[in-house]
Amino acid sequence: MAARPRHRRRIAVIAATAALIAVPAAAGCSAVDKALDCVQAADSIADSVSDLKQAVENATNDPAQADKALDSIDRNLDKIGDKTDNADVSKAVDDLDTAVGNVRTAIKNGDGTPDITPVTDAAGELTKVCTP
């Protein structure tokens, strides 16, 4: 059953990619490439957020797992942030970056089960603004 949300997300990415391919040539390849990069990175971030949820649930067994998931989200945020000039995407990236930083700080301060709801919410918003 855990695979179902990923399956839906993959279908959404495929649909978004198909829509991007259908964008008129007048939009230019770079705009399509940027949008496609945003969709792909948002999908990777969604996977990393799922990994983070799992890591927080198993924090007592492997505390380093949460750091790995947070690092993965950070890498993908850097990719999106470097390639976008869209204000909505930039705001979503900033919000997610702040949420990741707060979780990282909570873990550093000894919180074994930090609230990752802001990360999940911000990742959802990023996925929303990246989807055409």
Side-chain angles (χ1 to χ4, degrees):
M1 191 172 204
R4 186 171 297 283
R6 283 190 181 192
H7 176 70
R8 287 185 186 145
R9 191 170 45 251
R10 298 274 186 239
I11 290 172
V13 169
I14 291 168
T17 302
L20 289 172
I21 291 170
V23 172
C29 290
S30 65
V32 172
D33 288 343
K34 283 183 183 180
L36 198 71
D37 288 342
C38 185
V39 170
Q40 290 169 341
D43 185 51
S44 294
I45 288 171
D47 288 342
S48 297
V49 169
S50 294
D51 293 344
L52 178 60
K53 286 180 188 178
Q54 186 68 33
V56 168
E57 289 172 10
N58 298 325
T60 55
N61 298 333
D62 187 5
Q65 189 179 5
D67 277 335
K68 289 178 188 174
L70 292 168
D71 289 345
S72 178
I73 294 169
D74 280 337
R75 281 191 303 275
N76 284 300
L77 286 175
D78 288 343
K79 287 179 191 175
I80 295 172
D82 291 345
K83 294 182 179 185
T84 189
D85 55 2
N86 180 293
D88 292 333
V89 173
S90 293
K91 181 177 179 348
V93 166
D94 290 345
D95 290 348
L96 184 51
D97 188 47
T98 299
V100 166
N102 290 341
V103 170
R104 202 178 286 280
T105 299
I107 291 170
K108 185 178 178 181
N109 290 337
D111 187 349
T113 55
D115 180 15
I116 63 167
T117 304
V119 173
T120 304
D121 292 347
E125 183 62 23
L126 179 61
T127 300
K128 184 174 126 185
V129 298
C130 280
T131 305

